[in-house]
Amino acid sequence: MSAVSMLKKAAALAGLVAAAEGLGTVYFYRRTMLRSNAKPERSAKMSGIDWSRYFPLMKENQEWLLAQPHEEVDLCSEDGLRLHGYYFPGPGNKVAICFHGYTSSGMGEYPSLARFFLSRGFGVLIVDQRAHGKSEGQYVGFGCKDRLDAMQWIRWTVDKVGEDAQILLHGGSMGGSTVCMVSGLDLPPQVKGIVSDSAFTSPKEVFTHVLHTMYHLPAFPIIPLSDRINKHLAGYGLDECNAAREVRKAKVPMLFIHGSKDSFVPSWMCDEIYENCAAPKTRMIVEGAGHVESYYKNTQDYQAALDKFMGGIIV
């Protein structure tokens, strides 16, 4: 075989490899970042948890919650999306703002914790993050865009409750990353504390983990190519906002919760965020709990940790 023929075959092979990598990247990106393709059933399966055992309690709490006085709220994001939430007023000036996880929704994820917060005299604002629930958006924000939306919800709460509002932020999974990322912004004094449950450090790192452990694929070239696509389409890079970096600027007290058997977002991410946090901080690892399962796996200790944390920051 001549050198020219060998070069042509090598070039053809390289072209096929590049095309396959490009198609693989597009498939992964569309499957992960586009609202229309991000399916809750797939996320539940990847978490490795049999959520059906908790469904009766979840349904009971959701029915109870929807029977309480509430209003549906809409506001506009800084980039023009209509964002939706559910507000359950409390008897005073305390409000918990709750941010759900990837492929979930506010009312799908938070009725149980909302019932707990209401029992402690809090009002509750349950948010549908962008590209989820009744909120608009084509591309998932993965905390980076959602942190700016969170600031809008905080301002709405202060306007609603008054300047003496005492606000607690609570987030699970992607919502946990959202509240970590918002901790690095210039929060109003009404925000008294932040609870982050099962947060990932950044989209880049959690995608890399998922590719390695669940798809058995290398991060290169899928992650760098996806990063470029996302910057162009969604307006942010996959490591542009990293929870472990943002909490270095945190000033309000933070409570970090994570399950010891979380295979979706490994607990080392919680450790990294915790170690980087500059604010007063507390950490609770729930033994045997999977991804965002801690509240149901050990409700008593979870509630006790919340009571202790809230008792130290809110009057």
Side-chain angles (χ1 to χ4, degrees), residues 3 7 10 16-17 36 53 65-66 70 76 114 138 141 170 208 230 247 250 255 278 307:
L7 286 172
L16 288 172
V17 171
S36 57
R53 77 183 86 168
L65 185 63
L66 288 172
H70 67 279
C76 187
Q138 184 178 2
H170 188 291
T208 297
N230 205 57
V247 297
L255 167 62
D307 282 331

Side-chain angles (χ1 to χ4, degrees), residues 112-113 115-116 119-120 284 295 298-310:
S112 297
L113 271 163
R115 187 171 186 174
F116 165 78
S119 75
R120 297 308 195 261
M284 181 174 76
Y295 182 78
N298 193 336
T299 303
Q300 183 175 348
D301 284 355
Y302 197 112
Q303 292 182 349
L306 287 178
D307 282 331
K308 183 177 181 181
F309 179 70
M310 296 184 303

Side-chain angles (χ1 to χ4, degrees), residues 58 64 69 79 81 99 101 121 136-137 154 167 197 233 260 279 300:
M58 291 176 172
W64 179 90
D79 52 351
L81 297 178
F99 300 87
E136 293 181 341
I154 292 167
I167 297 173
D197 184 341
L233 296 178
S260 68
Q300 183 175 348

Side-chain angles (χ1 to χ4, degrees), residues 4 19 37 39 64 96 104 111 127 143 147 151 159 169 221 230 285:
V4 173
N37 293 329
K39 305 299 184 184
W64 179 90
S104 186
V127 170
R147 66 177 181 155
M151 290 294 288
D159 289 342
L169 306 181
N230 205 57
I285 303 299

